[in-house]
Amino acid sequence: MTTLELDTTSMAVGGEAVARDESGRVVFVAGALPGERVLVEVVAEKKTFARAVVTDVLDPAPARVEPPCPNVALGCGGCDWQHIDEDEQRALRVGIVTDVLARAGFEDPQVRSGAPLAAEGLRTTVRGIADAEGRFAFRRRRSHEPIAVDRCLVAHPAVNEVIAAGSFPPGREVVIRVGTRTGERSVLVDPAGEGTRVPDGVTVVAGRELEGGHRAWLHEEVAGRRWRVSARSFFQASPEGAEALVAAVQDLVADHAPDAERLVDLCCGVGLFAGTVGAGRSVVGVERSASSVADARHNLADLDARIVKVALARWRPSPADVVVADPARSGLGRDGARAVAATGAELCVLVSCDPAALGRDADLLRAAGYRHVGSVVVDLFGHTSHIEVVSGFIREPEVGRGHG
């Protein structure tokens, strides 16, 4: 392995610090902060860049801290920013989003951090694997090797009870999910769960059963509503995080489209934004996941909401005053941006879980006639470089309705 001594200058999308070696080649350094001098080991080399990991910190940044979780020292790959002070984590997330939008051509983009959320003890869903002894494990960083843990720093105590007491078939994928405000808990074991042992009151579901048509769900309470969430459906990482996202979306709607009567919720999942921001409005939800569509129709049965099961690229746009879009990590893409424009909506609120995708989508929305009016970074995933951001885009007056 090649060893280098480097000075880091900034933080890249993906959570690695940026440095350059003697030849000028960019090196992305895991485990470093901007403004440090570090000794690193190169783990991957390409023509134009390399990746490396810190082996020693020669000159630490002021925001460097000792990782609070002992699993980091074991090699757990779950939390890549535990060596960074929490305030600095928030500042870095804002800086990354600002830089992405600036690079996309947006002059002086307005980006701020939302209300702080606890970095520890909040996560209500964890995904792992059972090790050879049946213990819950996370993957070692950059490896498929399991690292057994008896607790997770960022997980809710109700999750940690299942981690500590559970026993699972070796090699099986394991998803632990809890409804912290309802007390319901479930474990999804893929593909089969025979031999699983969990605390009393925890429902065990096998992936093979779901594929055969079996239905299983739990409930959570968010923003004054009760939500059914099926075992295969997506839901935010905590009720507090979901409420923070809802608040950020509601603020943008209140500021830029307070009189909106028609809302389209693209990639609506189980109906979180349709059922909160859309309350009192006529809502169309668009979603391709069968389990999420079933949940959304159940969750929104008391509202003026229609849920359409279709892939975004095949959806025939409905007229709207506001579009809320919460796409997968890859972003809206061209099909999604065209769909937003075709609704004629004056406001699009985009919920992005990847800054690079936000940059691409923002550029596409600008080409479709929308102007960026601000972004709020919501810290759903403390101690990690994962970034969730809510952005507002308003239609420029000179752009005709329904045209991209």
Side-chain angles (χ1 to χ4, degrees), residues 122 124 180-181 220-223 235-244:
L122 210 62
T124 57
T180 60
R181 294 173 178 175
E220 184 57 282
E221 294 176 358
V222 171
F235 199 67
Q236 297 297 338
S238 69
E240 296 84 358
E243 287 170 344

Side-chain angles (χ1 to χ4, degrees), residues 3-7 19-22 37-40 58:
T3 299
L4 302 173
E5 192 172 308
L6 300 172
D7 294 307
R20 290 185 181 271
D21 62 16
E22 290 182 350
R37 189 164 186 79
V38 291
L39 195 65
V40 307
L58 306 177

Side-chain angles (χ1 to χ4, degrees), residues 17-43:
V18 179
R20 290 185 181 271
D21 62 16
E22 290 182 350
S23 71
R25 179 181 60 172
V26 171
V27 183
F28 296 103
V29 184
L33 284 80
E36 293 190 319
R37 189 164 186 79
V38 291
L39 195 65
V40 307
E41 193 173 80
V42 177
V43 295

Side-chain angles (χ1 to χ4, degrees), residues 133-279:
E133 298 178 16
R135 299 172 298 179
F136 183 85
F138 292 114
R139 303 281 191 181
R140 182 181 295 278
R141 188 171 298 282
R142 298 183 185 83
S143 170
H144 293 294
E145 179 187 353
I147 301 292
V149 301
D150 56 12
R151 67 181 302 273
C152 172
L153 181 73
V154 300
H156 190 276
V159 172
N160 277 323
E161 183 182 354
V162 181
I163 289 176
S167 178
F168 311 96
R172 303 290 167 81
E173 299 289 332
V174 179
V175 178
I176 301 171
R177 174 179 274 175
V178 305
T180 60
R181 294 173 178 175
T182 63
E184 298 177 24
R185 296 188 290 182
S186 69
V187 172
L188 171 60
V189 186
D190 262 333
E194 68 281 356
T196 297
R197 296 194 300 274
V198 293
D200 291 342
V202 179
T203 301
V204 177
V205 184
R208 192 170 291 160
E209 294 175 338
L210 298 176
E211 292 168 4
H214 177 71
R215 297 297 309 278
W217 53 71
L218 54 67
H219 297 86
E220 184 57 282
E221 294 176 358
V222 171
R225 293 184 66 89
R226 183 179 174 91
W227 305 89
R228 189 183 83 180
V229 184
S230 291
R232 293 289 196 197
S233 296
F234 170 79
F235 199 67
Q236 297 297 338
S238 69
E240 296 84 358
E243 287 170 344
L245 287 174
V246 168
V249 174
Q250 285 176 327
D251 286 347
L252 283 165
V253 173
D255 288 344
H256 299 287
D259 299 323
E261 297 180 355
R262 301 166 301 174
L263 182 142
V264 165
D265 188 358
L266 297 181
C267 312
C268 71
V270 303
L272 177 65
F273 299 115
T276 52
V277 184

Side-chain angles (χ1 to χ4, degrees), residues 3 7 11 63 83 105 123 149 154 194-195 211 275 277 318 324 331 349 393-394:
T3 299
D7 294 307
M11 190 67 80
H83 61 289
R123 201 83 61 83
V149 301
V154 300
E194 68 281 356
E211 292 168 4
V277 184
S318 302
V324 179
V349 182
F393 298 86
I394 60 173

